[in-house]
Amino acid sequence: MREKPILVIMAAGMGSRYGGLKQIDPVGPSGEAIIDYSLYDARRAGFETVVFIIKHEIEEPFKAAVGARALQAGFEVRYAYQQLDCLPEGFTVPDGRVKPWGTAHAILTAEQAIGSAPFAVINADDYYGPQGFKLVYDYLSSHADGDRYAWSMVGFLLGNTVSANGSVSRGVCVTDEHSNLVSVTERTCIEPYDGGIHYTEDGGANWTDLPADTVVSMNLWGFTPGYVADAKAGFAAFLKENLPVNPLKCEYYLPSVVTAALQRGDADVHVLTSPDKWHGITYREDKPELVAALRRMSKDGLYPKDKLFG
């Protein structure tokens, strides 16, 4: 019998990036945080189990604030801990290293909590909207590995992800005629302007337009258990290559494992496009826009007018 997909939420950076647990600052009309909306949308899409990847340093406040609400929402809650010393045999943490080892490493630390189930992965501090969770849950429920890994990614339309308050970085996707991912190219300076959206790679000397309906990756992925095995197999090689040249800051990124599997021909990554608007708080000014959008969605009936849980 096929195992039900589970949801994995990468939250190990909550303390370091925001000072304490600022990422659970209220944005919803009843004090909800962004992560609460992800839990709500995932639960109604069909997810019943959530794995939070955190650090031991934030364990107590996280469980009290976020974990308790996940239980209230009806989830089975599991925890994994992304610690620096979780390394392959023969490797040690370099002196002075404080930076986490990256998003692919985060998934490796959750291997036991994930088990043999297919799983979706999201960031803790992004609002994805309900459609993405439904798309990835349905795909994971109906696809399994064959000759190649059967992975998926929920893409968003670029125009639904840019900020009016400054430049953003986005993974621009190229797909084939079957909506399978061919490549993801990181564009680190994308901005809207009066005539559209454009990016620069030389500090603004030259700009190239991107259509608003360009599909971009916002780190909502769907994986079979094969992802964990693949990432695990490549981690030691990554460390051998990168530790000598960048011991304090090199990171093992989730998309790099995907790209390597694509290049080897070991995976198909089906791109599922969500029509929802993505929200994040890249800039301080982004928060009022998100707060207003969530209030509108509550008034329109997309979310309860009262509390999401309880």
Side-chain angles (χ1 to χ4, degrees), residues 54-276:
I54 61 174
K55 289 182 178 178
H56 283 297
E57 292 86 335
I58 66 169
E59 181 175 4
E60 188 174 332
F62 188 95
K63 286 183 175 180
V66 181
R69 291 203 288 272
L71 289 170
Q72 211 174 5
F75 280 100
E76 176 191 336
V77 179
R78 303 173 187 170
Y79 293 93
Y81 301 91
Q82 186 179 15
Q83 300 299 126
L84 277 178
D85 59 359
C86 184
L87 292 171
E89 187 175 350
F91 292 91
T92 57
V93 179
D95 290 341
R97 173 94 190 198
V98 294
K99 193 175 186 63
W101 293 107
T103 49
H105 176 257
I107 300 303
L108 291 182
T109 65
E111 179 180 12
Q112 187 173 353
I114 293 169
S116 57
F119 60 100
V121 181
I122 65 167
N123 296 330
D125 52 346
D126 293 340
Y127 171 82
Y128 294 97
Q131 288 301 314
F133 290 100
K134 182 63 175 168
L135 287 167
V136 74
Y137 182 86
D138 289 348
Y139 192 87
L140 290 171
S141 298
S142 57
H143 292 76
D145 291 340
D147 294 337
R148 294 190 282 194
Y149 298 129
W151 297 343
S152 56
M153 185 202 81
V154 176
F156 288 78
L157 303 180
L158 176 62
N160 287 336
T161 74
V162 292
S163 171
N165 302 305
S167 65
V168 296
S169 177
R170 298 288 181 259
V172 176
C173 300
V174 174
T175 58
D176 64 18
E177 66 273 19
H178 304 295
S179 296
N180 287 325
L181 188 65
V182 174
S183 65
V184 180
T185 303
E186 194 72 16
R187 301 297 184 192
T188 58
C189 188
I190 299 175
E191 295 181 1
Y193 69 103
D194 287 344
I197 303 170
H198 56 190
Y199 71 91
T200 182
E201 295 183 325
D202 54 14
N206 297 282
W207 292 86
T208 302
D209 276 9
L210 283 171
D213 62 355
T214 299
V215 175
V216 295
S217 168
M218 302 306 299
N219 270 344
L220 201 176
W221 298 90
F223 294 122
T224 60
Y227 180 89
V228 180
D230 206 72
K232 195 173 187 177
F235 191 33
F238 167 85
L239 292 171
K240 285 179 182 178
E241 180 182 349
N242 289 278
L243 280 180
V245 294
N246 193 10
L248 301 185
K249 293 187 177 181
C250 63
E251 291 187 70
Y252 191 41
Y253 291 118
L254 183 156
S256 67
V257 177
V258 174
T259 298
L262 285 175
Q263 291 173 344
R264 296 193 310 267
D266 289 343
D268 288 322
V269 181
H270 194 70
V271 177
L272 311 158
T273 304
S274 170
D276 288 338

